[in-house]
Amino acid sequence: MGDARVVLDGLVFGESVRWHAGRVWFCDWGAGQVVRVVDGKSEVVARVDDFPFCVDWLPDGRMLTITGRGVLLRDGTPFAALESPYPWNDIAVDRHGNAFVNNIGYAFGLGEPAPGTITVVTPDGASREVAAGLEFPNGMAVLGDTLIVAESHASRLSAFEIAVDGTLSRRRIWATVEDSAPDGIFPDPSGAIWYADVPNKECALVREGGEVIRRIPFDRGAFDCALAGNTLYAVIAHYPSDSPSGRLVAVDL
């Protein structure tokens, strides 16, 4: 696992790593928990009876949680309900308080892959679809007025321009990462993007255009990552696996 150190062991299925309010947070999908790490110990801050689920924060500090069934919670209280027969996945919030939520577009593990979508939920709770035709939309990140989306089945990161009302436009390929399946992503201060890659058991740093400038190997698949100063946090696990093998690890860069 290289220079990675284990912060927490025994996770069931870690995802949605975030750096917020000076702490690292993540979701343990298998345990139904939103977890914050304080002094190297896990602190359960919310419980979610669904799978999957991901979190982000509004500009005023309130936490948004999207459940797989499409219930958007604001500080634990239902705020909006999104409709789809397929799972809702990741969430990212812009500076105007627009919450972007993606949907994978098919029954993962059961049906044939199909195009996914992105829906925006505006601060008044209204929702509408703002992008379609994504090949398994996964991790997302907001860079100023740009939304970056990992398309796991297309081995690429795509970008959209964000309008004040949450409309997405001018879609373009931000980076192609051949032979990779980018999952969770996180912006680097340099303007590059970190992405987690399950099949290649690594996190990688890629510049716009597709140049991979660093790879961090692990002994199991990497599902998501977040940067805190010079430390990269990642949730990793053996996949597929019949028993819990999840870990939160940290790498000093």
Side-chain angles (χ1 to χ4, degrees):
M1 196 165 57
D3 296 325
R5 65 182 187 276
V6 178
V7 179
L8 296 174
D9 208 346
L11 309 184
V12 183
F13 192 162
E15 257 284 9
S16 192
V17 185
R18 305 288 189 253
W19 179 255
H20 174 73
R23 307 289 185 187
V24 61
W25 304 58
F26 65 92
C27 297
D28 190 336
W29 287 357
Q33 299 173 343
V34 179
V35 179
R36 176 174 57 195
V37 181
V38 179
D39 297 328
K41 297 181 180 180
S42 62
E43 179 181 281
V44 177
V45 296
R47 298 185 184 275
V48 181
D49 183 20
D50 204 352
F51 182 102
F53 58 96
C54 294
V55 299
D56 203 356
W57 286 264
L58 290 166
D60 64 10
R62 288 178 293 179
M63 186 173 74
L64 293 181
T65 306
I66 184 64
T67 74
R69 289 172 290 187
V71 179
L72 184 63
L73 305 171
R74 187 173 61 187
D75 274 356
T77 300
F79 175 60
L82 310 182
E83 295 185 2
S84 173
Y86 307 117
W88 296 90
N89 192 14
D90 208 356
I91 182 172
V93 179
D94 72 5
R95 61 191 176 93
H96 303 292
N98 299 306
F100 299 94
V101 185
N102 59 40
N103 187 287
I104 67 173
Y106 72 102
F108 181 73
L110 298 174
E112 290 294 320
T117 60
I118 300 174
T119 290
V120 66
V121 181
T122 52
D124 61 359
S127 62
R128 68 186 190 279
E129 185 178 300
V130 287
L134 295 125
E135 298 186 45
F136 201 114
N138 220 322
M140 295 193 295
V142 173
L143 300 177
D145 292 322
T146 300
L147 179 70
I148 308 293
V149 184
E151 294 187 71
S152 297
H153 287 175
S155 299
R156 69 187 176 210
L157 306 181
S158 293
F160 297 85
E161 290 191 14
I162 305 172
V164 174
D165 67 354
T167 298
L168 299 181
S169 64
R170 298 187 180 181
R171 178 179 177 176
R172 70 183 191 278
I173 296 176
W174 193 87
T176 297
V177 284
E178 295 182 1
D179 301 318
S180 296
D183 195 326
I185 64 175
F186 198 88
D188 186 85
S190 68
I193 294 284
W194 286 96
Y195 69 88
D197 187 337
V198 177
N200 288 316
K201 300 180 181 179
E202 66 180 13
C203 286
L205 182 63
V206 60
R207 289 195 177 108
E208 185 173 1
E211 179 190 4
V212 176
I213 54 180
R214 186 159 186 182
R215 298 182 187 274
I216 307 293
F218 302 109
D219 65 350
R220 57 201 75 185
F223 288 83
D224 203 358
C225 57
L227 189 65
N230 292 320
T231 301
L232 183 72
Y233 292 91
V235 281
I236 62 175
H238 293 300
Y239 183 82
S241 176
D242 295 328
S243 59
S245 61
R247 288 175 169 173
L248 174 69
V249 297
V251 178
D252 294 325
L253 303 176

